[in-house]
Amino acid sequence: MKIPFLKQLQRLTGPVANEVELAAGPANGPIEQAMQHLLAELPDLLMAAVVEVATGKPLATYTTARDLRPAAVAGFNAEAVRQVQASLVAQGAAHERLEEMLFTLPSQLHLLGVVPSGRVFVYLAVDCRDTNLGIARAVMRGGMARAEPAEDE
């Protein structure tokens, strides 16, 4: 039984597990498609998000466990993207474009893929025992292709 009030109470204690949460906005279609692609192609996904680079605001999030908080790390990941972009400018490589970032942990892989416009990035985390880097990168790139915002937004 779905009771809206109880769902709101659950959200007060953290993200709802196994459910895509979309930020309010007029153009959620591509963002939702990107998240659905990630979930369909990586059933063992730990968490995922589509995030605005400029603000660090998550446009969509997903987690498999309440203690994993993709919305909380979104801002930190956005700052990491902005810092790498600034370092490219400082190096005189402003003509280059950041495409991906990889963070490896003993049991997890965390991937960030910046869409070509540079306005948003796709973030995902997988368990190393369930998914290899090649598969995670391929799925992330498919999500990036779907998350690219329209030019008029």
Side-chain angles (χ1 to χ4, degrees):
M1 178 185 320
K2 291 189 176 187
I3 302 172
F5 175 72
L6 291 178
K7 188 161 279 227
Q8 293 296 62
L9 284 178
Q10 287 178 330
R11 283 189 168 87
L12 292 175
T13 60
V16 177
N18 300 314
E19 183 178 305
V20 173
E21 292 189 39
L22 292 168
N28 281 341
I31 304 302
E32 187 172 12
Q33 286 178 357
M35 293 298 285
Q36 292 305 326
H37 170 77
L38 296 176
L39 294 173
E41 297 295 320
L42 284 174
D44 297 324
L45 186 69
L46 296 175
M47 61 180 166
V50 177
V51 181
E52 283 184 344
V53 172
T55 64
K57 175 186 169 194
L59 302 175
T61 60
Y62 171 84
T63 184
T64 58
R66 293 178 69 86
D67 60 336
L68 298 173
R69 298 180 181 269
V73 298
F76 294 109
N77 289 335
E79 182 62 26
V81 169
R82 289 190 300 267
Q83 290 296 321
V84 170
Q85 290 171 335
S87 74
L88 289 172
V89 171
Q91 295 174 41
H95 62 282
E96 293 288 344
R97 182 180 63 83
L98 176 63
E99 292 181 355
E100 296 178 359
M101 294 174 72
L102 167 66
F103 303 101
T104 57
L105 305 176
S107 65
Q108 298 174 5
L109 296 172
H110 294 250
L111 289 147
L112 292 136
V114 182
V115 300
S117 71
R119 295 184 351 206
V120 299
F121 65 85
V122 173
Y123 165 72
L124 61 87
V126 295
D127 189 312
C128 295
R129 295 167 293 193
D130 299 328
T131 306
N132 71 37
L133 178 58
I135 292 170
R137 286 180 81 196
V139 172
M140 181 191 63
R141 287 179 178 169
M144 288 167 55
R146 289 164 176 80
E148 181 72 61
E151 289 299 318
D152 59 341
E153 293 176 33

